Amino acid sequence: MTNRAAIVTGASSGIGLAIADTLGELGYGLTVAARRPDKLEAAAQTLIDKGYEVEVVAGSLGDEETVQAVVAAHKARFDRLDVLVNN
């Protein structure tokens, strides 16, 4: 179990994925979220392959149910939130 945990949205590519990678390198447990499940799963696998602890939730963050699912999955896995990146 990690000592710190972060949620990163838009984490399937670009800046969001780079931020997630940096936080993972710093020892954060990660919940990553983005709209496209296939792209998000591939990005998450690159983080997992680096040894990071990663929870994945796909869906539109414009949908309140998805936001609630991201928070619930993060809480269940890490039970703390130190960083939130709304990318």
Side-chain angles (χ1 to χ4, degrees):
M1 182 62 87
T2 59
N3 290 329
R4 298 177 291 181
I7 295 174
V8 182
T9 68
S12 63
S13 64
I15 292 170
L17 180 55
I19 291 170
D21 187 28
T22 299
L23 289 170
E25 188 175 308
L26 293 171
Y28 283 78
L30 303 167
T31 296
V32 294
R35 285 177 289 175
R36 294 182 44 204
D38 55 334
K39 197 170 177 184
L40 181 59
E41 287 292 339
Q45 190 58 55
T46 66
L47 299 171
I48 292 166
D49 290 346
K50 291 182 176 188
Y52 307 154
E53 192 172 347
V54 180
E55 182 71 26
V56 180
V57 182
S60 171
L61 277 296
D63 176 32
E64 185 175 341
E65 288 180 12
T66 301
V67 173
Q68 290 176 358
V70 170
V71 172
H74 182 83
K75 181 171 176 39
R77 177 96 180 245
F78 300 107
D79 199 35
R80 66 178 296 139
L81 179 61
D82 300 291
V83 174
L84 171 62
V85 179
N86 288 315
N87 174 49

